[in-house]
């Protein structure tokens, strides 16, 4: 079973959002904690925080496909 293009796009969007929020700095330090970022993204994309965590940290298995092939532009 192949991964649907919308799923790949969703995962890319979640990773971009995580990178964007984790790079927000105030007074020279990261403004938001990792837990806060994961929960904020989970609420935005209607997913569980654990699901977002698995996507962001690469713990999602893509059957019959090499994961590096999915996220190349």
């Amino acid at each position: 079973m192949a991964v649907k293009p919308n799923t790949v796009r969703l995962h890319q969007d979640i990773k971009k959002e995580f990178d964007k929020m984790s790079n927000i700095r105030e007074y020279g330090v990261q403004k938001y904690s990792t837990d806060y970022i994961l929960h904020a993204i989970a609420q935005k994309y209607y997913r569980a925080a654990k699901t977002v965590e698995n996507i962001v940290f690469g713990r999602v298995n893509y059957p019959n496909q090499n994961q590096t092939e999915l996220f190349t532009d």
Side-chain angles (χ1 to χ4, degrees), residues 2 11 17 24 26-27 36-37 45 52 55 65 67 69:
H11 290 194
E17 186 76 19
I24 296 174
E26 189 169 303
Y27 306 113
Y36 176 85
I37 295 169
Y45 288 99
V52 172
I55 292 168
Q65 291 188 353
Q67 188 169 353
E69 294 172 0

Side-chain angles (χ1 to χ4, degrees), residues 18 22 30 32-39 57:
F18 181 85
S22 63
Q30 183 176 332
Y32 303 115
S33 70
T34 302
D35 278 343
Y36 176 85
I37 295 169
L38 293 173
H39 283 84
F57 295 115

Side-chain angles (χ1 to χ4, degrees), residues 1 23 38 40-41 43 50 62 65 68 72:
M1 183 169 102
N23 286 322
L38 293 173
I41 294 171
Q43 185 174 7
K50 183 65 177 176
Y62 296 101
Q65 291 188 353
T68 57
T72 56

